[in-house]
Amino acid sequence: MEFATTENRTMIAQAVRDLCEREVRPHVMEWDESQHFPKELFTDHFGPAGMMGVFVPEQYGGAGLGYFEYVDTIVEVSRICGSIGLSVAAHNSLCTGHINYFGSHEQKTKWLTKLATGEWLGAWALTEPNTGSDAMRMKCTARKEGKEWILNGTKCWITHGKSSDVVVVVARTGELLDSKGMTTFVVERGTPGMKAGKKENKLGMRASETAEVIFEDCRVSEENILGKEGEGFQQAMKVLDGGRISIAALSLGIAKGAFDASVKYAKERQQFGQAIANFQAIAFKLADMATRIEASELLIQQASDLKNRGQKMTTESAMAKYYASEVAVYASNEAVQIHGGYGYTKDFPVEKFYRDSKLCTIGEGTSEVQKLVISRNVLRG
């Protein structure tokens, strides 16, 4: 395994950092306070920069890069704003990723070329009000009628549920609890019978839109099926393996952002006639943060390396997601503590890192589910 940062990776990370400093940082708190989802940021800036189709082949309009570069992109965005990092991750690894992995050449030409360039924004719909990790009990159904399928049901917690131009949705086409009884469909915005529902009012990640997607006798062509009928659940599990790396990268970016802010503040803040960084109580907090961040990064690099080589990495991606997400919460909590009373105000960035970090231990499988995945694989031998 070779994790050394190449010159190309360094250049990509710097370009993403510069773009986000210019287009994201000045608006972070404004977007957070108003829960504004800045769709134009993705279409006008991130798309042309190659950030909306990082690992999509160039023939479909993507950047044609690997998971190392993808992780670097998510980390750099999330160091400045977790909300925007989350949206970049959801678009790339879930919606766009699902079509990239399982779509036909014709489907990729039709949808990926718009998604990878940022012309279109994507959403991925698996979760329902009563089925999160228990996806095999989903109630959203698709019934075949001639050469069309009719979708009915509600998906929730969908990133870009209102603003997306296309939704990749997994629906039940067979019996309940049958892992081969689910199928994946691509539904374009404007298709009769698909509409957005409630937008969630969240603790953190407030500039990343999260909403319901409702299907009421929504008709789609059989040409909109990704892969084959009955493959939806297995596809979703493979997509989530990569998605866990995405959330791990998001977590790492938030932890690094909180750490950067803490180091800066500790050097500048004076108490008892000296910078608080000189006090062991503060210095040791920074040491613990730095060590856990480094460990998170190594776990993510390991999972990314396996992903790039096409090898199984279910356990490794779960470990990376579990550990990095918990470190994000830990680091942002310590960052608030280091800032003291100022850390509890919106005048400093760490309170937002603190609020944003919690989602990382929940989204795309809770920490408890990650431990379940890890323990089962460890015990299986």
Side-chain angles (χ1 to χ4, degrees):
M1 292 182 285
E2 179 57 60
F3 301 155
T5 302
T6 63
E7 182 179 353
N8 190 50
R9 283 181 62 187
T10 300
M11 290 174 59
I12 290 170
Q14 186 63 55
V16 173
R17 188 180 308 137
D18 292 343
L19 177 58
C20 290
E21 286 288 351
R22 185 172 66 251
E23 302 296 338
V24 178
R25 191 179 293 279
H27 309 289
V28 168
M29 292 312 298
E30 168 198 342
W31 293 340
D32 182 77
E33 290 285 308
S34 63
Q35 298 191 71
H36 171 66
F37 173 63
K39 186 176 181 179
E40 66 284 353
L41 172 70
F42 300 87
T43 56
D44 298 350
H45 299 287
F46 286 179
M51 294 165 60
M52 301 299 279
V54 179
F55 48 78
V56 172
E58 292 182 28
Q59 72 178 107
Y60 300 117
L65 300 171
Y67 248 73
F68 287 138
E69 293 84 0
Y70 172 61
V71 165
D72 292 341
T73 298
I74 300 301
V75 168
E76 292 302 329
V77 177
S78 306
R79 283 175 95 146
I80 294 174
C81 182
S83 294
I84 304 304
L86 174 61
S87 281
V88 174
H91 172 91
N92 273 277
S93 74
L94 298 180
C95 175
T96 302
H98 202 138
I99 297 172
N100 185 47
Y101 299 140
F102 301 105
S104 65
H105 171 68
E106 291 74 23
Q107 290 173 325
K108 292 178 182 180
T109 302
K110 182 177 182 179
W111 292 308
L112 276 192
T113 51
K114 294 181 178 180
L115 289 164
T117 58
E119 180 182 349
W120 276 12
L121 186 70
W124 192 74
L126 176 68
T127 305
E128 298 181 6
N130 293 309
T131 57
S133 299
D134 189 14
M136 284 200 293
R137 295 183 189 272
M138 68 171 56
K139 295 181 179 179
C140 181
T141 61
R143 174 174 55 85
K144 191 171 184 180
E145 190 174 281
K147 292 188 176 182
E148 291 186 320
W149 288 82
I150 304 172
L151 278 68
N152 280 285
T154 299
K155 297 292 184 176
C156 66
W157 308 112
I158 308 306
T159 304
H160 312 144
K162 295 174 77 76
S163 297
S164 57
D165 299 285
V166 64
V167 180
V168 172
V169 56
V170 181
R172 185 161 58 82
T173 52
E175 296 299 317
L176 198 68
L177 299 179
D178 180 3
S179 64
K180 295 182 179 180
M182 285 164 272
T183 304
T184 307
F185 300 86
V186 180
V187 187
E188 295 183 16
R189 185 69 60 183
T191 301
M194 182 177 79
K195 64 180 182 180
K198 174 190 175 186
K199 178 182 176 180
E200 302 297 339
N201 183 7
K202 308 191 298 285
L203 167 72
M205 303 291 191
R206 291 166 62 82
S208 180
E209 176 188 279
T210 306
E212 293 178 327
V213 178
I214 300 170
F215 299 94
E216 294 177 345
D217 293 330
C218 178
R219 290 177 175 267
V220 295
S221 168
E222 62 182 14
E223 296 178 355
N224 288 41
I225 291 178
L226 290 180
K228 298 178 181 178
E229 180 184 345
E231 293 180 343
F233 181 76
Q234 288 83 0
Q235 291 175 1
M237 294 304 103
K238 291 178 181 178
V239 169
L240 284 172
D241 279 346
R244 288 175 182 137
I245 298 176
S246 294
I247 300 300
L250 171 65
S251 303
L252 179 62
I254 289 172
K256 285 190 172 186
F259 177 75
D260 293 343
S262 298
V263 170
K264 181 176 183 293
Y265 184 82
K267 289 180 177 180
E268 295 174 351
R269 174 66 168 168
Q270 296 280 322
Q271 287 289 279
F272 305 101
Q274 58 183 311
I276 63 172
N278 294 334
F279 296 111
Q280 194 175 76
I282 301 300
F284 277 15
K285 286 182 182 296
L286 295 172
D288 283 338
M289 291 165 72
T291 302
R292 297 187 194 194
I293 287 170
E294 188 75 9
S296 298
E297 191 152 22
L298 287 170
L299 283 169
I300 295 167
Q301 297 290 316
Q302 175 182 243
S304 297
D305 178 63
L306 292 171
K307 178 71 173 174
N308 280 341
R309 291 192 279 123
Q311 296 188 12
K312 186 175 177 59
M313 45 77 188
T314 301
T315 302
E316 290 79 5
S317 64
M319 286 178 172
K321 195 272 185 188
Y322 164 54
Y323 188 76
S325 64
E326 294 292 340
V327 168
V329 174
Y330 168 81
S332 58
N333 179 59
E334 289 290 73
V336 171
Q337 196 70 18
I338 289 169
H339 281 69
Y342 290 110
Y344 204 66
T345 72
K346 293 183 182 295
D347 295 326
F348 287 78
V350 292
E351 69 84 29
K352 182 177 181 298
F353 286 127
Y354 185 55
R355 288 186 289 109
D356 286 349
S357 68
K358 190 57 194 169
L359 182 278
C360 298
T361 68
I362 299 171
E364 294 194 37
T366 63
S367 290
E368 290 74 21
V369 166
Q370 304 311 316
K371 287 192 279 188
L372 185 65
V373 171
I374 296 164
S375 63
R376 282 179 176 174
N377 288 341
V378 167
L379 291 169
R380 189 177 293 128

